Amino acid sequence: MELHSDALNVFLKASSEAAREGKPVRAFIGNEASDLDSMASAILLAWSRGAASDGLPNVPVMNIPREDFNLRTEALWLFEDAGIDIKDLVFLDDVDLGALLANAASRLVLIDHNKLSAAQGAWASKVEEILDHHADEGLYPTAKRSIAPVGSASTLVTEIMLATGTPLPANVATLALGTILLDTVNLDPEAKRVTERDEAVVNRIMPVSGARQKILFDRLQLEKFNVAALSSRDILRKDYKEYTMGRLKVGMSSALLPLADWFKKDEDIEAALSDYAEARKLDVLLVMNAYTAPEFTRELAVHAVDPSLRRKLFEFMNQSGLGLAALKDEVKAPVGDTDYYSQADLSQSRKKLQPLLSEYLG
Ligand SMILES: [Mn+2]
């Protein structure tokens, strides 16, 4: 195989076509959180096995619906930087993985986890191999295992690629490199993630990638928190939890941008909040904004069609010490079914506020 960047896309296209045909496959799947490591290491291990081994097409499967990929902004950036055709990746809703695995010949390789999620537990008999860096739970005893406590599953895959002489075009090296750097906080010993094995792999693939370590790491770190390209709906669902509190259905989103920036970015933020709350039949949607610019700052948006409910929540939260106050005049908050506040108590995250509200409304 030539060391062209296109080689990876040729492989991905062939593997996605095989999966869409519904024939038996060997599926490589990461964990259900589907972070960059899970997705990259599934692609890399499948790539290292070539188009097909023992007649089975090797197919990396992203363990999320296609729509959710945009929310993983650092993965989107690195995949695009590596020139990957996103359309040729296989996401959970692109194929019926359960039906593919129902073929007697199909096999499953678990990457970046060693226990199937509850929803995917029925596939246990299909697991033939595990590659992971989490503690081994000892399941699927007949599976071949490569499990070691390194900083990134991508380190284990890259070791295999290097040992087996897998073709390593620059973009494949960059995909591995960026993932390992992000997982190990740029190989920083203080972060207590990096091991000697991560470092050794990075030293070997950096010249192949041609990327500069600090520049690549800083960019990925930035992209992780970059919501500029996301719609209001995507910002709301990126980090969202839902609760039943007494008779009320309450949604809580954490968002990483200043309200002032959001108002500028989306003139119709009110419509976005209303649509989001309506689609989920919420009585209340709370949006907790937290960002550093340059000081750490918190803000809160309370969306509810019922103004007396908004008032009641505001009064309760201030009795609880949140220190909510109207935004400064120069921040032009839209008028509608939402109240927007600055929040003086910087320690009140969703994790702390949710039980308080549950108790109050319960
Ligand atoms: Mn991982």
Side-chain angles (χ1 to χ4, degrees):
M1 203 176 288
E2 288 179 86
L3 289 185
H4 281 159
S5 295
D6 267 3
L8 179 60
N9 282 326
V10 170
F11 164 73
L12 291 171
K13 193 169 170 40
S15 74
S16 77
E17 280 169 3
R20 284 165 215 261
E21 280 166 18
K23 292 184 185 143
V25 295
R26 176 176 287 103
F28 293 73
I29 197 164
N31 67 48
E32 63 183 328
S34 200
D35 63 1
L36 172 61
D37 187 32
S38 267
M39 293 192 281
S41 50
I43 292 171
L44 293 168
L45 190 63
W47 159 262
S48 79
R49 300 286 159 82
S53 20
D54 55 26
L56 281 178
N58 292 314
V59 181
V61 179
M62 309 300 106
N63 204 353
I64 40 169
R66 181 171 284 275
E67 182 193 43
D68 286 5
F69 184 61
N70 279 351
L71 305 181
R72 282 138 180 95
T73 45
E74 70 280 25
L76 178 63
W77 182 85
L78 185 61
F79 282 26
E80 284 183 342
D81 189 59
I84 291 175
D85 281 336
I86 311 296
K87 67 169 172 28
D88 287 332
L89 291 175
V90 176
F91 288 89
L92 219 45
D93 52 346
D94 290 332
V95 294
D96 184 344
L97 189 55
L100 289 179
L101 291 173
N103 278 302
S106 287
R107 294 289 178 268
L108 186 59
V109 179
L110 303 187
I111 324 270
D112 202 19
H113 64 318
N114 61 76
K115 183 186 183 181
L116 286 160
S117 69
Q120 299 176 339
W123 303 338
S125 68
K126 294 291 172 175
V127 179
E128 71 166 6
E129 183 178 349
I130 302 168
L131 180 142
D132 190 17
H133 64 137
H134 299 92
D136 190 353
E137 301 196 38
L139 300 165
Y140 328 115
T142 60
K144 179 188 167 216
R145 341 171 76 78
S146 319
I147 303 181
V150 293
S152 176
S154 293
T155 294
L156 300 175
V157 184
T158 308
E159 285 178 345
I160 291 170
M161 292 199 292
L162 292 168
T164 56
T166 301
L168 205 61
N171 63 335
V172 173
T174 300
L175 185 60
L177 178 66
T179 304
I180 299 167
L181 292 178
L182 197 65
D183 271 355
T184 61
V185 197
N186 201 20
L187 307 178
D188 179 4
E190 301 267 302
K192 298 198 185 335
R193 305 263 182 83
V194 67
T195 67
E196 284 176 8
R197 288 170 70 172
D198 303 297
E199 215 173 322
V201 160
V202 163
N203 287 334
R204 285 193 61 189
I205 61 174
M206 194 121 61
V208 184
S209 154
R212 310 234 321 256
Q213 182 179 334
K214 187 167 180 340
I215 292 173
L216 180 59
F217 171 75
D218 286 348
R219 182 65 192 261
L220 283 166
Q221 194 71 4
L222 180 96
E223 292 298 337
K224 201 173 167 176
F225 298 100
N226 181 6
V227 293
L230 296 186
S231 64
S232 290
R233 175 172 171 271
D234 280 348
I235 294 172
L236 290 169
R237 67 198 197 91
K238 190 172 181 2
D239 185 0
Y240 173 73
K241 291 189 173 159
E242 204 169 272
Y243 311 90
T244 302
M245 301 182 181
R247 298 201 323 270
L248 301 182
K249 200 169 164 193
V250 179
M252 295 179 85
S253 290
S254 292
L256 302 172
L257 76 169
L259 282 172
D261 290 358
W262 200 344
F263 298 153
K264 277 186 217 140
K265 183 172 149 50
D266 183 0
E267 283 181 358
D268 222 355
I269 184 177
E270 276 296 319
L273 292 166
S274 295
D275 290 349
Y276 195 87
E278 250 171 59
R280 285 160 188 77
K281 299 190 165 40
L282 301 177
D283 298 288
V284 185
L285 173 59
L286 294 173
V287 187
M288 306 192 70
N289 293 65
Y291 56 92
T292 305
E295 298 295 315
F296 183 68
T297 307
R298 282 190 183 278
E299 294 163 339
L300 183 74
V302 183
H303 175 89
V305 177
D306 174 3
S308 66
L309 178 58
R310 296 204 301 270
R311 187 81 212 159
K312 190 172 124 172
L313 288 171
F314 165 75
E315 279 164 8
F316 168 72
M317 288 190 282
N318 264 355
Q319 279 157 23
S320 306
L322 259 70
L324 301 178
L327 294 176
K328 283 186 232 141
D329 282 344
E330 60 263 33
V331 181
K332 298 256 177 294
V335 178
D337 295 330
T338 313
D339 296 327
Y340 299 94
Y341 305 106
S342 63
Q343 179 183 320
D345 183 352
L346 299 178
S347 74
Q348 284 284 354
S349 60
R350 179 173 59 196
K351 207 179 267 171
K352 289 191 178 172
L353 182 59
Q354 180 263 319
L356 287 179
L357 284 171
S358 282
E359 201 189 319
Y360 173 62
L361 296 167

